[in-house]
Amino acid sequence: MQTNATYTSLVAIGDSFTEGMSDRLPDGSYRGWADLLAARMAARTPGFRYANLAVRGKLISQIVAEQVDVAAAMQPDVITLVGGLNDTLRPKCDMGQVRGLLEEAVERLAPACKQLVLMRSPGRQGPVLARFRPRMEELFACVDDLASRHGALVVDLYGAPSLGDPRMWDVDRLHLTGEGHRRVAEAVWQTLGYDAEDADWRTPMPPSPPPGWGARRTEDARFARQYLLPWIGRRLTGRSSGDGRPAKRPELLPYETPGA
């Protein structure tokens, strides 16, 4: 890995994690770690270009079909690929197929950029992580293997204690808060060889008193009503939260700060 890196363009592909949910801006749009990373890179490199093709809810098959060739054709300096986690959270998941599609994506992306970046996605501590941990770790073992064979960098968010803290996650329990996204941006920034701006991004938040039984039950009921039941409904009907939704930055253009 080079230090004091200089890259002139970035293309991010994936699902809701890379789209930026739930790092919400005042106008209701989402920012997220990829936008934060692009802003930092643009501040260092005049004329820096950025595209974000990620769309919420996408499975690895959709990322490969809809985003990989588009990103490769842009020939950027850096491509980030995070995908497959939505597949692991499905009740039925063919991990062999997921691994094969991820390998296909890496084989097509690695030659199309100067640096491909993969990730071991963060996991919120709790029963959901415990249930799906074997699939997630199988996915991450594949990520590590592909990176070693294709010269990609791996950002290990799964092994960061700070990002397992439930306080880093939005009320939907699926997406990071703004602070979580900030730490992810820092992790990718350092992995790309830039000087650290927050050397302690892995450090857990200070401990706080756990919520009482009543508060936990109220939050559980709210979570089930607002997020879990709609999520189950989409799974049963074959729908996705990203159906018909375009990428927020579909072209590789000079980066401009939102609202500038």
Side-chain angles (χ1 to χ4, degrees), residues 84-106:
L85 199 62
N86 282 336
D87 298 79
T88 69
L89 298 177
R90 296 291 179 105
K92 295 181 180 180
C93 173
D94 183 341
M95 286 303 298
Q97 182 182 51
V98 171
R99 293 194 307 272
L101 287 165
L102 189 60
E103 181 169 12
E104 179 183 343
V106 170

Side-chain angles (χ1 to χ4, degrees), residues 135-177:
R135 288 181 182 174
M136 293 172 63
E137 294 186 348
E138 183 177 349
L139 176 68
F140 299 155
C142 179
V143 166
D144 290 342
D145 175 64
L146 290 171
S148 68
R149 290 195 281 120
H150 294 276
L153 298 174
V154 177
V155 185
D156 185 13
L157 306 173
Y158 182 69
S162 61
L163 295 177
D165 190 323
R167 291 172 293 176
M168 288 285 181
W169 296 77
D170 192 43
V171 293
D172 66 2
R173 305 182 184 181
L174 287 174
H175 301 107
L176 291 169
T177 62

Side-chain angles (χ1 to χ4, degrees), residues 118-145:
L118 308 176
M119 296 190 201
R120 294 161 57 93
S121 303
R124 181 184 185 275
Q125 295 173 0
V128 173
L129 176 61
R131 178 180 178 185
F132 294 103
R133 186 186 300 273
R135 288 181 182 174
M136 293 172 63
E137 294 186 348
E138 183 177 349
L139 176 68
F140 299 155
C142 179
V143 166
D144 290 342
D145 175 64

Side-chain angles (χ1 to χ4, degrees), residues 235-253:
R235 299 292 79 75
L236 293 175
T237 57
R239 294 178 293 116
S240 168
S241 57
D243 287 346
R245 183 177 295 274
K248 64 179 179 181
R249 291 178 178 266
E251 299 180 78
L252 186 59
L253 297 173

